[in-house]
Amino acid sequence: MNRVIVLLSGVFLFLSVFITGCGGDVSIQYELEMVPGLCFLHVHIGDNMNIGLIPDEINEFIPMWLCDSLHTRGSFGISLLGINLTDFSPQMLFLSREVTTDEMLQLGTVGFNCGFEENIERYNLIDDRGSMIGSIASRDGWTCLVTGSGSDRSTGRWLELEEDESLASDMDLITISESDADLTVLISHNSIAFISVIPTGMLSRAEVRMLNKVKGIIQTIEPSALRISLDIIDEEPTVTVLEIQLVRDGDNVTTFSASFSDTELTPENLLQIIRDGGFLNYFRD
């Protein structure tokens, strides 16, 4: 269970630091039609992201070489489809309009250093022990690569996915989904509900206290959808903008926005200072 907490923390850390450049060239609502409605969260990543900002720890959960390869071709999406309760590894869906099935196959076989098998609808990535590590398919101008256990079954369901089974059918999420920001994170009711029911039997006292605080906030606010957007505005000095939109019970929408700029600090410098834990010390000096 501790690895579940670490995994979710890692995912949200990934989301919080994946910032720079400008995006918004693909309709996010259109993209959500290709995302299964039961996924935990979806991230839309713009064209000019700085992959180098991602901490090395994220590689434990997400193949960053794949993000880098997809990013060189344009914007793309990542969805957290589920978590394997055996080893707490994530099942991820990588979604792009900029690569073909053959190109995704080449990226997968080289990046995972594996072979593949082909059937009528998809390619399955196979390691040297004969285990499946991913599955690739295309439809309606989109190409997906699903990683993790049962990826062939997930890809098969993706090929048959109807709009009313996708995140595009979540009207609360659609209400706040569109954004021209560099990075858009969409969290559906499924993720919020999952946090609310995480068992505490294997957690430490500190983790239980933290989880109970989060559950209390969820019970008080009663959220049904959440969008987190990060944008870098190319001015002098550069402005970093964070916006959060939350759909609450009764179709109420809360919006929070904050911006930061500094004549000396770039977004990269700021992130490094935060990583090193010296943000307040920097300004004291």
Side-chain angles (χ1 to χ4, degrees), residues 236-238 260-267 269-270 273 282-283:
E236 189 61 44
T238 302
F260 174 87
S261 66
D262 190 275
T263 55
E264 178 183 4
L265 287 176
T266 65
N269 297 147
L270 175 63
I273 291 172
Y282 175 87
F283 289 101

Side-chain angles (χ1 to χ4, degrees), residues 29-202:
Q29 182 172 343
Y30 183 33
E31 185 169 295
L32 293 181
E33 294 178 7
M34 295 292 115
V35 180
L38 294 179
C39 82
F40 288 105
L41 58 87
H42 180 74
V43 186
H44 175 79
I45 300 166
D47 291 352
N48 300 312
M49 308 300 285
N50 185 350
I51 304 295
L53 294 175
I54 307 303
D56 294 338
E57 292 80 2
I58 296 300
N59 279 300
E60 183 178 354
F61 307 109
I62 300 175
M64 291 309 302
W65 55 264
L66 179 57
C67 293
D68 187 47
S69 297
L70 294 176
H71 170 245
T72 61
R73 292 161 170 80
S75 62
F76 65 101
I78 306 176
S79 300
L80 175 60
L81 297 183
I83 299 172
N84 187 326
L85 296 180
T86 302
D87 56 8
F88 301 116
S89 59
Q91 184 179 70
M92 311 296 297
L93 179 145
F94 295 84
L95 190 63
S96 174
R97 289 179 58 84
E98 309 300 330
V99 299
T100 65
T101 307
D102 290 341
E103 289 172 331
M104 188 74 87
L105 177 63
Q106 182 178 14
L107 292 176
T109 53
V110 173
F112 286 116
N113 190 25
C114 67
F116 69 93
E117 61 180 19
E118 181 181 2
N119 67 20
I120 297 175
E121 296 181 319
R122 59 182 176 268
Y123 294 103
N124 295 326
L125 302 178
I126 308 296
D127 65 16
D128 54 8
R129 296 173 298 179
S131 299
M132 185 174 303
I133 57 178
S135 187
I136 297 167
S138 295
R139 56 168 285 201
D140 302 332
W142 295 88
T143 299
C144 84
L145 189 160
V146 179
T147 65
S149 176
S151 54
D152 58 335
R153 294 188 297 273
S154 295
T155 303
R157 289 191 293 270
W158 180 80
L159 286 168
E160 299 175 353
L161 185 68
E162 300 289 343
E163 183 176 346
D164 61 1
E165 300 171 328
S166 72
L167 278 184
S169 66
D170 185 336
M171 290 298 101
D172 288 333
L173 196 63
I174 289 298
T175 298
I176 58 174
S177 64
E178 289 303 328
S179 170
D180 292 326
D182 303 329
L183 170 68
T184 301
V185 181
L186 297 171
I187 302 174
S188 70
H189 180 71
N190 295 321
S191 292
I192 298 168
F194 175 76
I195 294 173
S196 300
V197 299
I198 291 176
T200 60
M202 298 179 63

